[in-house]
Amino acid sequence: MKHLFSRLSPAQKIILSFLLVIFCGSLLLSLPWVQTASSQAGYLDHLFTAVSMVCVTGLFTRSVVDTYNVWGQLLCMLLIQIGGLGILTFIGFFTMESRKKLSLKDRRILRDSFSYGHNRTLGQFVRSIFITTFTIEGLGALLLMIRFIPKFGLGRGIFNSIFLAVSAFCNAGFDNFGNDSLLGLQTDVLVNITLALLIITGGLGFMVWFDLATQLDKKKKRRLRFHTKLVLFLTAGILLFGTISTLFTEWHNPGTIGNLSVPEKVLV
């Protein structure tokens, strides 16, 4: 089995690692002790959820809050985080932190997993990904706690804030609020702006972050890469187009934003 795995190409190993995480995640989500007493989910529901979380699609057949207890939701957060960062990023990080050396083949797989092509030290790059990710998610969670701790209480407020921050930054589209999702918070400026910034920041990708960071370092300052310029241009264009087209089509719709004030319509 080990010999067979070693013969796979980097792309095949990346695909296989995701399939393995999905399968293990679906089995863990199927355990009775991570589900609520009223859960009606079967194995196919758990499998669908695991696929959706690792591939960060936001689709589900059973809502998170109706299906999983706190332990199950912690597992959901882990699957979302793995999907957002990539399982090979985790493997590479823990391997390097344990002071083990990665082979050239393993380093190539890691580079391919997030299209890393610099001469920059791979270890520094992977560590930077984790530090930046957890810093941004932590700041987002702290901002959400301002609203959620008074609303849900200390423990649940902190937990919901972390869950939502991780999900938003990884562009996963999941929440643990139930079938109404964030509908009750549609005009809350703090929650909406925080989540929007987390989604946009996470969607830009690692390479864009670090390329932009060089603009703040006078010693390393250089022109932005074409990839970064393209991502920023398309992101701004899609956001602008999406906002304007949604305002145009939903402006008078009482089922969405028709009954809101003008500032609230723009926010939503």
Side-chain angles (χ1 to χ4, degrees), residues 183-251:
L183 187 60
L185 299 165
Q186 65 173 329
T187 57
D188 190 303
V189 176
L190 176 64
V191 173
N192 278 272
I193 296 299
T194 300
L195 292 180
L197 289 175
L198 284 169
I199 292 168
I200 294 168
T201 306
L204 291 177
F206 312 130
M207 303 305 296
V208 174
W209 303 343
F210 299 134
D211 197 19
L212 289 172
T214 61
Q215 302 302 303
L216 302 176
D217 190 339
K218 294 181 179 179
K219 294 180 180 179
K220 299 180 180 179
K221 194 169 183 179
R222 53 174 170 72
R223 289 186 176 182
L224 290 175
R225 296 174 181 275
F226 175 74
H227 168 81
T228 301
K229 293 178 180 179
L230 184 63
V231 170
L232 293 175
F233 175 77
L234 289 177
T235 299
I238 292 171
L239 287 174
L240 185 62
F241 173 77
T243 301
I244 293 174
S245 61
T246 303
L247 280 172
F248 178 76
T249 56
E250 301 297 324
W251 189 269

Side-chain angles (χ1 to χ4, degrees), residues 18-207:
F18 269 91
L19 291 175
L20 185 61
V21 171
I22 288 169
F23 178 67
C24 293
S26 67
L27 293 180
L28 291 173
L29 289 175
S30 301
L31 296 174
W33 61 271
V34 304
Q35 299 179 49
T36 61
S38 59
S39 172
Q40 300 295 315
Y43 176 71
L44 287 180
D45 295 307
H46 301 306
L47 177 61
F48 189 95
T49 299
V51 171
S52 185
M53 287 180 169
V54 173
C55 298
V56 289
T57 66
L59 302 174
F60 58 88
T61 55
R62 304 281 180 176
S63 67
V64 171
V65 71
D66 293 332
T67 306
Y68 306 109
N69 57 27
V70 173
W71 296 108
Q73 290 178 32
L74 279 171
L75 181 58
C76 288
M77 266 198 288
L78 179 60
L79 290 174
I80 290 170
Q81 193 75 83
I82 289 174
L85 292 179
I87 180 61
L88 293 175
T89 311
F90 278 87
I91 294 172
F93 176 77
F94 290 118
T95 300
M96 286 182 286
E97 288 301 309
S98 64
R99 303 297 185 224
K100 293 181 180 179
K101 290 186 177 181
L102 290 172
S103 66
L104 290 175
K105 185 178 289 186
D106 290 333
R107 287 177 180 273
R108 182 188 168 196
I109 295 171
L110 262 179
R111 284 192 173 93
D112 288 351
S113 70
F114 35 64
S115 302
Y116 173 75
H118 298 288
N119 293 323
R120 185 181 181 183
T121 304
L122 184 61
Q124 292 177 341
F125 182 74
V126 173
R127 290 187 186 95
S128 296
I129 288 175
F130 277 84
I131 292 171
T132 306
T133 296
F134 295 144
T135 299
I136 295 174
E137 289 177 349
L139 290 173
L142 287 173
L143 289 173
L144 292 173
M145 287 177 199
I146 296 173
R147 189 69 74 243
F148 291 160
I149 288 179
K151 184 178 179 66
F152 298 106
L154 182 62
R156 193 68 194 179
I158 292 174
F159 185 82
N160 286 356
S161 299
I162 296 173
F163 187 100
L164 210 57
V166 171
S167 178
F169 182 77
C170 294
N171 284 217
F174 283 93
D175 65 75
N176 56 348
F177 287 178
N179 292 326
D180 289 336
S181 189
L182 300 174
L183 187 60
L185 299 165
Q186 65 173 329
T187 57
D188 190 303
V189 176
L190 176 64
V191 173
N192 278 272
I193 296 299
T194 300
L195 292 180
L197 289 175
L198 284 169
I199 292 168
I200 294 168
T201 306
L204 291 177
F206 312 130
M207 303 305 296

Side-chain angles (χ1 to χ4, degrees), residues 3-22:
H3 178 67
L4 179 63
F5 186 78
S6 64
R7 294 175 60 185
L8 297 176
S9 68
Q12 290 172 327
K13 288 182 179 180
I14 292 170
I15 293 172
L16 184 61
S17 68
F18 269 91
L19 291 175
L20 185 61
V21 171
I22 288 169

